[in-house]
PDB file of all heavy atoms in Angstrom:
ATOM      1  N   MET I   1      89.298 108.903  75.307  1.00 43.00           N
ATOM      2  CA  MET I   1      88.815 109.573  76.513  1.00 43.00           C
ATOM      3  C   MET I   1      88.893 108.659  77.717  1.00 43.00           C
ATOM      4  O   MET I   1      89.318 109.045  78.789  1.00 43.00           O
ATOM      5  CB  MET I   1      87.381 110.047  76.281  1.00 43.00           C
ATOM      6  CG  MET I   1      86.786 110.786  77.475  1.00 43.00           C
ATOM      7  SD  MET I   1      87.684 112.314  77.869  1.00 43.00           S
ATOM      8  CE  MET I   1      87.112 113.333  76.512  1.00 43.00           C
ATOM      9  N   LYS I   2      88.466 107.375  77.537  1.00 41.00           N
ATOM     10  CA  LYS I   2      88.524 106.418  78.639  1.00 41.00           C
ATOM     11  C   LYS I   2      89.951 106.209  79.101  1.00 41.00           C
ATOM     12  O   LYS I   2      90.237 106.126  80.293  1.00 41.00           O
ATOM     13  CB  LYS I   2      87.888 105.094  78.219  1.00 41.00           C
ATOM     14  CG  LYS I   2      86.361 105.189  78.074  1.00 41.00           C
ATOM     15  CD  LYS I   2      85.787 103.852  77.699  1.00 41.00           C
ATOM     16  CE  LYS I   2      84.274 103.910  77.576  1.00 41.00           C
ATOM     17  NZ  LYS I   2      83.693 102.614  77.176  1.00 41.00           N
ATOM     18  N   ASN I   3      90.889 106.118  78.126  1.00 44.00           N
ATOM     19  CA  ASN I   3      92.289 105.916  78.488  1.00 44.00           C
ATOM     20  C   ASN I   3      92.825 107.103  79.275  1.00 44.00           C
ATOM     21  O   ASN I   3      93.577 106.950  80.230  1.00 44.00           O
ATOM     22  CB  ASN I   3      93.127 105.703  77.220  1.00 44.00           C
ATOM     23  CG  ASN I   3      92.860 104.341  76.604  1.00 44.00           C
ATOM     24  OD1 ASN I   3      92.422 103.417  77.288  1.00 44.00           O
ATOM     25  ND2 ASN I   3      93.116 104.218  75.313  1.00 44.00           N
ATOM     26  N   ASN I   4      92.430 108.330  78.849  1.00 48.00           N
ATOM     27  CA  ASN I   4      92.877 109.523  79.564  1.00 48.00           C
ATOM     28  C   ASN I   4      92.339 109.532  80.983  1.00 48.00           C
ATOM     29  O   ASN I   4      93.045 109.887  81.930  1.00 48.00           O
ATOM     30  CB  ASN I   4      92.410 110.782  78.824  1.00 48.00           C
ATOM     31  CG  ASN I   4      93.169 110.982  77.525  1.00 48.00           C
ATOM     32  OD1 ASN I   4      94.277 110.492  77.386  1.00 48.00           O
ATOM     33  ND2 ASN I   4      92.583 111.704  76.589  1.00 48.00           N
ATOM     34  N   THR I   5      91.078 109.159  81.142  1.00 50.00           N
ATOM     35  CA  THR I   5      90.474 109.122  82.476  1.00 50.00           C
ATOM     36  C   THR I   5      91.181 108.105  83.355  1.00 50.00           C
ATOM     37  O   THR I   5      91.468 108.349  84.536  1.00 50.00           O
ATOM     38  CB  THR I   5      88.977 108.775  82.375  1.00 50.00           C
ATOM     39  OG1 THR I   5      88.346 109.746  81.552  1.00 50.00           O
ATOM     40  CG2 THR I   5      88.325 108.764  83.748  1.00 50.00           C
ATOM     41  N   PHE I   6      91.487 106.922  82.777  1.00 43.00           N
ATOM     42  CA  PHE I   6      92.166 105.873  83.534  1.00 43.00           C
ATOM     43  C   PHE I   6      93.544 106.339  83.977  1.00 43.00           C
ATOM     44  O   PHE I   6      93.939 106.156  85.133  1.00 43.00           O
ATOM     45  CB  PHE I   6      92.284 104.615  82.663  1.00 43.00           C
ATOM     46  CG  PHE I   6      92.985 103.487  83.348  1.00 43.00           C
ATOM     47  CD1 PHE I   6      92.350 102.743  84.341  1.00 43.00           C
ATOM     48  CD2 PHE I   6      94.298 103.162  83.018  1.00 43.00           C
ATOM     49  CE1 PHE I   6      93.000 101.704  84.973  1.00 43.00           C
ATOM     50  CE2 PHE I   6      94.948 102.121  83.649  1.00 43.00           C
ATOM     51  CZ  PHE I   6      94.306 101.389  84.625  1.00 43.00           C
ATOM     52  N   ARG I   7      94.276 107.003  83.053  1.00 42.00           N
ATOM     53  CA  ARG I   7      95.611 107.495  83.409  1.00 42.00           C
ATOM     54  C   ARG I   7      95.534 108.557  84.502  1.00 42.00           C
ATOM     55  O   ARG I   7      96.374 108.618  85.390  1.00 42.00           O
ATOM     56  CB  ARG I   7      96.306 108.061  82.167  1.00 42.00           C
ATOM     57  CG  ARG I   7      96.831 106.994  81.222  1.00 42.00           C
ATOM     58  CD  ARG I   7      97.848 107.578  80.255  1.00 42.00           C
ATOM     59  NE  ARG I   7      97.233 108.540  79.372  1.00 42.00           N
ATOM     60  CZ  ARG I   7      96.709 108.236  78.192  1.00 42.00           C
ATOM     61  NH1 ARG I   7      96.717 106.984  77.766  1.00 42.00           N
ATOM     62  NH2 ARG I   7      96.177 109.178  77.434  1.00 42.00           N
ATOM     63  N   PHE I   8      94.498 109.383  84.425  1.00 52.00           N
ATOM     64  CA  PHE I   8      94.312 110.428  85.429  1.00 52.00           C
ATOM     65  C   PHE I   8      94.077 109.816  86.807  1.00 52.00           C
ATOM     66  O   PHE I   8      94.650 110.236  87.814  1.00 52.00           O
ATOM     67  CB  PHE I   8      93.139 111.317  85.019  1.00 52.00           C
ATOM     68  CG  PHE I   8      92.899 112.490  85.932  1.00 52.00           C
ATOM     69  CD1 PHE I   8      93.960 113.218  86.465  1.00 52.00           C
ATOM     70  CD2 PHE I   8      91.601 112.874  86.249  1.00 52.00           C
ATOM     71  CE1 PHE I   8      93.738 114.301  87.279  1.00 52.00           C
ATOM     72  CE2 PHE I   8      91.372 113.950  87.072  1.00 52.00           C
ATOM     73  CZ  PHE I   8      92.445 114.669  87.586  1.00 52.00           C
ATOM     74  N   ILE I   9      93.238 108.779  86.846  1.00 49.00           N
ATOM     75  CA  ILE I   9      92.941 108.120  88.121  1.00 49.00           C
ATOM     76  C   ILE I   9      94.195 107.459  88.683  1.00 49.00           C
ATOM     77  O   ILE I   9      94.493 107.556  89.876  1.00 49.00           O
ATOM     78  CB  ILE I   9      91.810 107.092  87.944  1.00 49.00           C
ATOM     79  CG1 ILE I   9      90.484 107.828  87.648  1.00 49.00           C
ATOM     80  CG2 ILE I   9      91.658 106.220  89.173  1.00 49.00           C
ATOM     81  CD1 ILE I   9      89.344 106.914  87.298  1.00 49.00           C
ATOM     82  N   ILE I  10      94.942 106.791  87.808  1.00 44.00           N
ATOM     83  CA  ILE I  10      96.186 106.154  88.261  1.00 44.00           C
ATOM     84  C   ILE I  10      97.145 107.203  88.820  1.00 44.00           C
ATOM     85  O   ILE I  10      97.780 107.006  89.864  1.00 44.00           O
ATOM     86  CB  ILE I  10      96.847 105.383  87.095  1.00 44.00           C
ATOM     87  CG1 ILE I  10      95.972 104.185  86.683  1.00 44.00           C
ATOM     88  CG2 ILE I  10      98.237 104.928  87.487  1.00 44.00           C
ATOM     89  CD1 ILE I  10      95.768 103.163  87.788  1.00 44.00           C
ATOM     90  N   LEU I  11      97.239 108.334  88.126  1.00 45.00           N
ATOM     91  CA  LEU I  11      98.120 109.395  88.588  1.00 45.00           C
ATOM     92  C   LEU I  11      97.678 109.909  89.955  1.00 45.00           C
ATOM     93  O   LEU I  11      98.493 110.108  90.854  1.00 45.00           O
ATOM     94  CB  LEU I  11      98.109 110.554  87.583  1.00 45.00           C
ATOM     95  CG  LEU I  11      98.887 111.810  87.977  1.00 45.00           C
ATOM     96  CD1 LEU I  11     100.355 111.477  88.170  1.00 45.00           C
ATOM     97  CD2 LEU I  11      98.709 112.900  86.938  1.00 45.00           C
ATOM     98  N   MET I  12      96.369 110.087  90.115  1.00 54.00           N
ATOM     99  CA  MET I  12      95.862 110.587  91.378  1.00 54.00           C
ATOM    100  C   MET I  12      96.109 109.589  92.508  1.00 54.00           C
ATOM    101  O   MET I  12      96.428 109.978  93.634  1.00 54.00           O
ATOM    102  CB  MET I  12      94.362 110.887  91.263  1.00 54.00           C
ATOM    103  CG  MET I  12      94.042 112.072  90.360  1.00 54.00           C
ATOM    104  SD  MET I  12      94.754 113.610  90.966  1.00 54.00           S
ATOM    105  CE  MET I  12      93.732 113.869  92.409  1.00 54.00           C
ATOM    106  N   ILE I  13      95.957 108.309  92.220  1.00 47.00           N
ATOM    107  CA  ILE I  13      96.219 107.291  93.243  1.00 47.00           C
ATOM    108  C   ILE I  13      97.676 107.354  93.671  1.00 47.00           C
ATOM    109  O   ILE I  13      97.996 107.253  94.858  1.00 47.00           O
ATOM    110  CB  ILE I  13      95.866 105.889  92.715  1.00 47.00           C
ATOM    111  CG1 ILE I  13      94.331 105.757  92.575  1.00 47.00           C
ATOM    112  CG2 ILE I  13      96.400 104.806  93.633  1.00 47.00           C
ATOM    113  CD1 ILE I  13      93.887 104.488  91.902  1.00 47.00           C
ATOM    114  N   ALA I  14      98.570 107.554  92.706  1.00 44.00           N
ATOM    115  CA  ALA I  14      99.990 107.654  93.041  1.00 44.00           C
ATOM    116  C   ALA I  14     100.244 108.863  93.929  1.00 44.00           C
ATOM    117  O   ALA I  14     100.991 108.795  94.915  1.00 44.00           O
ATOM    118  CB  ALA I  14     100.827 107.765  91.761  1.00 44.00           C
ATOM    119  N   ILE I  15      99.597 109.976  93.587  1.00 50.00           N
ATOM    120  CA  ILE I  15      99.749 111.182  94.398  1.00 50.00           C
ATOM    121  C   ILE I  15      99.235 110.947  95.802  1.00 50.00           C
ATOM    122  O   ILE I  15      99.867 111.287  96.795  1.00 50.00           O
ATOM    123  CB  ILE I  15      99.012 112.364  93.741  1.00 50.00           C
ATOM    124  CG1 ILE I  15      99.690 112.738  92.422  1.00 50.00           C
ATOM    125  CG2 ILE I  15      98.961 113.570  94.672  1.00 50.00           C
ATOM    126  CD1 ILE I  15      98.923 113.745  91.595  1.00 50.00           C
ATOM    127  N   LEU I  16      98.056 110.339  95.859  1.00 49.00           N
ATOM    128  CA  LEU I  16      97.447 110.123  97.165  1.00 49.00           C
ATOM    129  C   LEU I  16      98.236 109.122  98.002  1.00 49.00           C
ATOM    130  O   LEU I  16      98.234 109.192  99.238  1.00 49.00           O
ATOM    131  CB  LEU I  16      95.996 109.654  96.997  1.00 49.00           C
ATOM    132  CG  LEU I  16      95.052 110.718  96.408  1.00 49.00           C
ATOM    133  CD1 LEU I  16      93.681 110.119  96.148  1.00 49.00           C
ATOM    134  CD2 LEU I  16      94.937 111.900  97.344  1.00 49.00           C
ATOM    135  N   SER I  17      98.893 108.201  97.347  1.00 49.00           N
ATOM    136  CA  SER I  17      99.738 107.260  98.083  1.00 49.00           C
ATOM    137  C   SER I  17     100.887 108.001  98.758  1.00 49.00           C
ATOM    138  O   SER I  17     101.243 107.732  99.909  1.00 49.00           O
ATOM    139  CB  SER I  17     100.289 106.183  97.136  1.00 49.00           C
ATOM    140  OG  SER I  17      99.235 105.398  96.625  1.00 49.00           O
ATOM    141  N   LEU I  18     101.459 108.960  98.027  1.00 45.00           N
ATOM    142  CA  LEU I  18     102.513 109.779  98.609  1.00 45.00           C
ATOM    143  C   LEU I  18     101.969 110.617  99.753  1.00 45.00           C
ATOM    144  O   LEU I  18     102.596 110.771 100.805  1.00 45.00           O
ATOM    145  CB  LEU I  18     103.120 110.693  97.534  1.00 45.00           C
ATOM    146  CG  LEU I  18     103.908 109.986  96.431  1.00 45.00           C
ATOM    147  CD1 LEU I  18     104.311 110.986  95.355  1.00 45.00           C
ATOM    148  CD2 LEU I  18     105.147 109.301  97.007  1.00 45.00           C
ATOM    149  N   VAL I  19     100.768 111.148  99.533  1.00 48.00           N
ATOM    150  CA  VAL I  19     100.123 111.938 100.577  1.00 48.00           C
ATOM    151  C   VAL I  19      99.904 111.095 101.823  1.00 48.00           C
ATOM    152  O   VAL I  19     100.103 111.526 102.951  1.00 48.00           O
ATOM    153  CB  VAL I  19      98.784 112.508 100.066  1.00 48.00           C
ATOM    154  CG1 VAL I  19      97.947 113.063 101.207  1.00 48.00           C
ATOM    155  CG2 VAL I  19      99.038 113.592  99.032  1.00 48.00           C
ATOM    156  N   SER I  20      99.513 109.827 101.599  1.00 47.00           N
ATOM    157  CA  SER I  20      99.243 108.929 102.728  1.00 47.00           C
ATOM    158  C   SER I  20     100.490 108.722 103.572  1.00 47.00           C
ATOM    159  O   SER I  20     100.440 108.789 104.797  1.00 47.00           O
ATOM    160  CB  SER I  20      98.733 107.583 102.198  1.00 47.00           C
ATOM    161  OG  SER I  20      98.577 106.661 103.241  1.00 47.00           O
ATOM    162  N   CYS I  21     101.604 108.500 102.898  1.00 48.00           N
ATOM    163  CA  CYS I  21     102.859 108.291 103.634  1.00 48.00           C
ATOM    164  C   CYS I  21     103.203 109.529 104.461  1.00 48.00           C
ATOM    165  O   CYS I  21     103.578 109.423 105.632  1.00 48.00           O
ATOM    166  CB  CYS I  21     103.994 107.986 102.662  1.00 48.00           C
ATOM    167  SG  CYS I  21     103.804 106.392 101.815  1.00 48.00           S
ATOM    168  N   ALA I  22     103.061 110.683 103.837  1.00 43.00           N
ATOM    169  CA  ALA I  22     103.384 111.923 104.546  1.00 43.00           C
ATOM    170  C   ALA I  22     102.432 112.140 105.703  1.00 43.00           C
ATOM    171  O   ALA I  22     102.828 112.571 106.785  1.00 43.00           O
ATOM    172  CB  ALA I  22     103.310 113.112 103.570  1.00 43.00           C
ATOM    173  N   SER I  23     101.177 111.807 105.472  1.00 46.00           N
ATOM    174  CA  SER I  23     100.174 112.053 106.501  1.00 46.00           C
ATOM    175  C   SER I  23     100.371 111.143 107.700  1.00 46.00           C
ATOM    176  O   SER I  23     100.108 111.524 108.840  1.00 46.00           O
ATOM    177  CB  SER I  23      98.772 111.872 105.929  1.00 46.00           C
ATOM    178  OG  SER I  23      98.555 112.795 104.901  1.00 46.00           O
ATOM    179  N   ARG I  24     100.819 109.897 107.454  1.00 45.00           N
ATOM    180  CA  ARG I  24     101.054 108.982 108.572  1.00 45.00           C
ATOM    181  C   ARG I  24     102.156 109.531 109.485  1.00 45.00           C
ATOM    182  O   ARG I  24     102.095 109.399 110.699  1.00 45.00           O
ATOM    183  CB  ARG I  24     101.412 107.586 108.044  1.00 45.00           C
ATOM    184  CG  ARG I  24     100.224 106.882 107.402  1.00 45.00           C
ATOM    185  CD  ARG I  24     100.597 105.522 106.853  1.00 45.00           C
ATOM    186  NE  ARG I  24      99.515 104.951 106.082  1.00 45.00           N
ATOM    187  CZ  ARG I  24      98.488 104.301 106.586  1.00 45.00           C
ATOM    188  NH1 ARG I  24      98.388 104.158 107.893  1.00 45.00           N
ATOM    189  NH2 ARG I  24      97.538 103.815 105.806  1.00 45.00           N
ATOM    190  N   LYS I  25     103.156 110.139 108.842  1.00 44.00           N
ATOM    191  CA  LYS I  25     104.231 110.730 109.638  1.00 44.00           C
ATOM    192  C   LYS I  25     103.680 111.887 110.465  1.00 44.00           C
ATOM    193  O   LYS I  25     104.022 112.063 111.625  1.00 44.00           O
ATOM    194  CB  LYS I  25     105.363 111.221 108.731  1.00 44.00           C
ATOM    195  CG  LYS I  25     106.121 110.093 108.051  1.00 44.00           C
ATOM    196  CD  LYS I  25     107.196 110.646 107.133  1.00 44.00           C
ATOM    197  CE  LYS I  25     107.942 109.524 106.415  1.00 44.00           C
ATOM    198  NZ  LYS I  25     108.954 110.070 105.487  1.00 44.00           N
ATOM    199  N   VAL I  26     102.807 112.688 109.815  1.00 44.00           N
ATOM    200  CA  VAL I  26     102.224 113.823 110.519  1.00 44.00           C
ATOM    201  C   VAL I  26     101.383 113.341 111.680  1.00 44.00           C
ATOM    202  O   VAL I  26     101.420 113.885 112.782  1.00 44.00           O
ATOM    203  CB  VAL I  26     101.370 114.683 109.551  1.00 44.00           C
ATOM    204  CG1 VAL I  26     100.570 115.723 110.325  1.00 44.00           C
ATOM    205  CG2 VAL I  26     102.252 115.351 108.519  1.00 44.00           C
ATOM    206  N   SER I  27     100.614 112.260 111.440  1.00 43.00           N
ATOM    207  CA  SER I  27      99.682 111.807 112.472  1.00 43.00           C
ATOM    208  C   SER I  27     100.404 111.321 113.710  1.00 43.00           C
ATOM    209  O   SER I  27      99.875 111.394 114.816  1.00 43.00           O
ATOM    210  CB  SER I  27      98.789 110.690 111.918  1.00 43.00           C
ATOM    211  OG  SER I  27      99.545 109.530 111.654  1.00 43.00           O
ATOM    212  N   GLN I  28     101.640 110.822 113.533  1.00 43.00           N
ATOM    213  CA  GLN I  28     102.381 110.334 114.685  1.00 43.00           C
ATOM    214  C   GLN I  28     102.724 111.454 115.659  1.00 43.00           C
ATOM    215  O   GLN I  28     102.921 111.229 116.846  1.00 43.00           O
ATOM    216  CB  GLN I  28     103.661 109.631 114.207  1.00 43.00           C
ATOM    217  CG  GLN I  28     103.362 108.327 113.459  1.00 43.00           C
ATOM    218  CD  GLN I  28     104.606 107.740 112.824  1.00 43.00           C
ATOM    219  OE1 GLN I  28     105.694 108.285 112.972  1.00 43.00           O
ATOM    220  NE2 GLN I  28     104.448 106.627 112.129  1.00 43.00           N
ATOM    221  N   SER I  29     102.788 112.673 115.100  1.00 45.00           N
ATOM    222  CA  SER I  29     103.125 113.802 115.964  1.00 45.00           C
ATOM    223  C   SER I  29     101.892 114.498 116.510  1.00 45.00           C
ATOM    224  O   SER I  29     102.004 115.448 117.269  1.00 45.00           O
ATOM    225  CB  SER I  29     103.965 114.819 115.179  1.00 45.00           C
ATOM    226  OG  SER I  29     103.202 115.359 114.110  1.00 45.00           O
ATOM    227  N   GLN I  30     100.704 114.042 116.104  1.00 51.00           N
ATOM    228  CA  GLN I  30      99.473 114.648 116.577  1.00 51.00           C
ATOM    229  C   GLN I  30      99.047 114.028 117.904  1.00 51.00           C
ATOM    230  O   GLN I  30      99.366 112.892 118.202  1.00 51.00           O
ATOM    231  CB  GLN I  30      98.360 114.456 115.538  1.00 51.00           C
ATOM    232  CG  GLN I  30      98.639 115.106 114.186  1.00 51.00           C
ATOM    233  CD  GLN I  30      98.797 116.599 114.296  1.00 51.00           C
ATOM    234  OE1 GLN I  30      98.140 117.233 115.130  1.00 51.00           O
ATOM    235  NE2 GLN I  30      99.671 117.159 113.483  1.00 51.00           N
ATOM    236  N   PRO I  31      98.282 114.770 118.684  1.00 48.00           N
ATOM    237  CA  PRO I  31      97.782 114.209 119.945  1.00 48.00           C
ATOM    238  C   PRO I  31      96.826 113.060 119.687  1.00 48.00           C
ATOM    239  O   PRO I  31      96.319 112.886 118.579  1.00 48.00           O
ATOM    240  CB  PRO I  31      97.059 115.401 120.589  1.00 48.00           C
ATOM    241  CG  PRO I  31      96.763 116.342 119.462  1.00 48.00           C
ATOM    242  CD  PRO I  31      97.884 116.167 118.493  1.00 48.00           C
ATOM    243  N   GLN I  32      96.582 112.262 120.719  1.00 50.00           N
ATOM    244  CA  GLN I  32      95.742 111.078 120.588  1.00 50.00           C
ATOM    245  C   GLN I  32      94.352 111.418 120.074  1.00 50.00           C
ATOM    246  O   GLN I  32      93.710 110.609 119.408  1.00 50.00           O
ATOM    247  CB  GLN I  32      95.640 110.378 121.947  1.00 50.00           C
ATOM    248  CG  GLN I  32      94.969 108.996 121.888  1.00 50.00           C
ATOM    249  CD  GLN I  32      95.774 108.011 121.065  1.00 50.00           C
ATOM    250  OE1 GLN I  32      96.992 108.117 121.010  1.00 50.00           O
ATOM    251  NE2 GLN I  32      95.105 107.066 120.410  1.00 50.00           N
ATOM    252  N   SER I  33      93.868 112.634 120.354  1.00 65.00           N
ATOM    253  CA  SER I  33      92.524 113.028 119.924  1.00 65.00           C
ATOM    254  C   SER I  33      92.388 113.089 118.418  1.00 65.00           C
ATOM    255  O   SER I  33      91.281 113.125 117.895  1.00 65.00           O
ATOM    256  CB  SER I  33      92.166 114.390 120.526  1.00 65.00           C
ATOM    257  OG  SER I  33      93.095 115.380 120.099  1.00 65.00           O
ATOM    258  N   SER I  34      93.521 113.096 117.691  1.00 76.00           N
ATOM    259  CA  SER I  34      93.470 113.133 116.231  1.00 76.00           C
ATOM    260  C   SER I  34      93.266 111.756 115.624  1.00 76.00           C
ATOM    261  O   SER I  34      92.941 111.651 114.441  1.00 76.00           O
ATOM    262  CB  SER I  34      94.775 113.721 115.677  1.00 76.00           C
ATOM    263  OG  SER I  34      94.981 115.024 116.159  1.00 76.00           O
ATOM    264  N   ALA I  35      93.462 110.718 116.401  1.00 88.00           N
ATOM    265  CA  ALA I  35      93.439 109.358 115.848  1.00 88.00           C
ATOM    266  C   ALA I  35      92.140 109.015 115.129  1.00 88.00           C
ATOM    267  O   ALA I  35      92.178 108.472 114.017  1.00 88.00           O
ATOM    268  CB  ALA I  35      93.729 108.346 116.954  1.00 88.00           C
ATOM    269  N   PRO I  36      90.952 109.290 115.684  1.00 92.00           N
ATOM    270  CA  PRO I  36      89.725 108.944 114.956  1.00 92.00           C
ATOM    271  C   PRO I  36      89.633 109.645 113.607  1.00 92.00           C
ATOM    272  O   PRO I  36      89.201 109.045 112.614  1.00 92.00           O
ATOM    273  CB  PRO I  36      88.618 109.410 115.913  1.00 92.00           C
ATOM    274  CG  PRO I  36      89.253 109.410 117.258  1.00 92.00           C
ATOM    275  CD  PRO I  36      90.661 109.821 117.038  1.00 92.00           C
ATOM    276  N   ALA I  37      90.032 110.894 113.553  1.00 95.00           N
ATOM    277  CA  ALA I  37      89.978 111.630 112.286  1.00 95.00           C
ATOM    278  C   ALA I  37      90.875 110.985 111.246  1.00 95.00           C
ATOM    279  O   ALA I  37      90.483 110.800 110.083  1.00 95.00           O
ATOM    280  CB  ALA I  37      90.377 113.087 112.514  1.00 95.00           C
ATOM    281  N   PHE I  38      92.091 110.614 111.663  1.00 95.00           N
ATOM    282  CA  PHE I  38      93.005 109.992 110.707  1.00 95.00           C
ATOM    283  C   PHE I  38      92.539 108.584 110.336  1.00 95.00           C
ATOM    284  O   PHE I  38      92.851 108.105 109.248  1.00 95.00           O
ATOM    285  CB  PHE I  38      94.434 109.976 111.267  1.00 95.00           C
ATOM    286  CG  PHE I  38      95.169 111.239 110.976  1.00 95.00           C
ATOM    287  CD1 PHE I  38      95.170 112.276 111.893  1.00 95.00           C
ATOM    288  CD2 PHE I  38      95.834 111.405 109.780  1.00 95.00           C
ATOM    289  CE1 PHE I  38      95.832 113.454 111.621  1.00 95.00           C
ATOM    290  CE2 PHE I  38      96.504 112.574 109.490  1.00 95.00           C
ATOM    291  CZ  PHE I  38      96.503 113.618 110.412  1.00 95.00           C
TER     292      PHE I  38
END
């Protein structure tokens, strides 16, 4: 169970890392007022 949980967390971190890259690109096109939120 612990191993499954660890693998799940690692998988989620990988997903979120991809999300982060995509989001940074999105944020560049957002107005300056979005900066604090990002």
Side-chain angles (χ1 to χ4, degrees):
M1 181 63 74
K2 289 182 179 179
N3 288 337
N4 289 336
T5 302
F6 179 75
R7 284 197 295 269
F8 184 40
I9 292 173
I10 293 299
L11 175 61
M12 291 298 290
I13 290 173
I15 293 171
L16 293 174
S17 295
L18 292 173
V19 167
S20 175
C21 293
S23 298
R24 290 179 188 277
K25 292 178 181 178
V26 170
S27 67
Q28 292 172 2
S29 64
Q30 299 299 326
Q32 189 64 30
S33 60
S34 300
F38 274 93

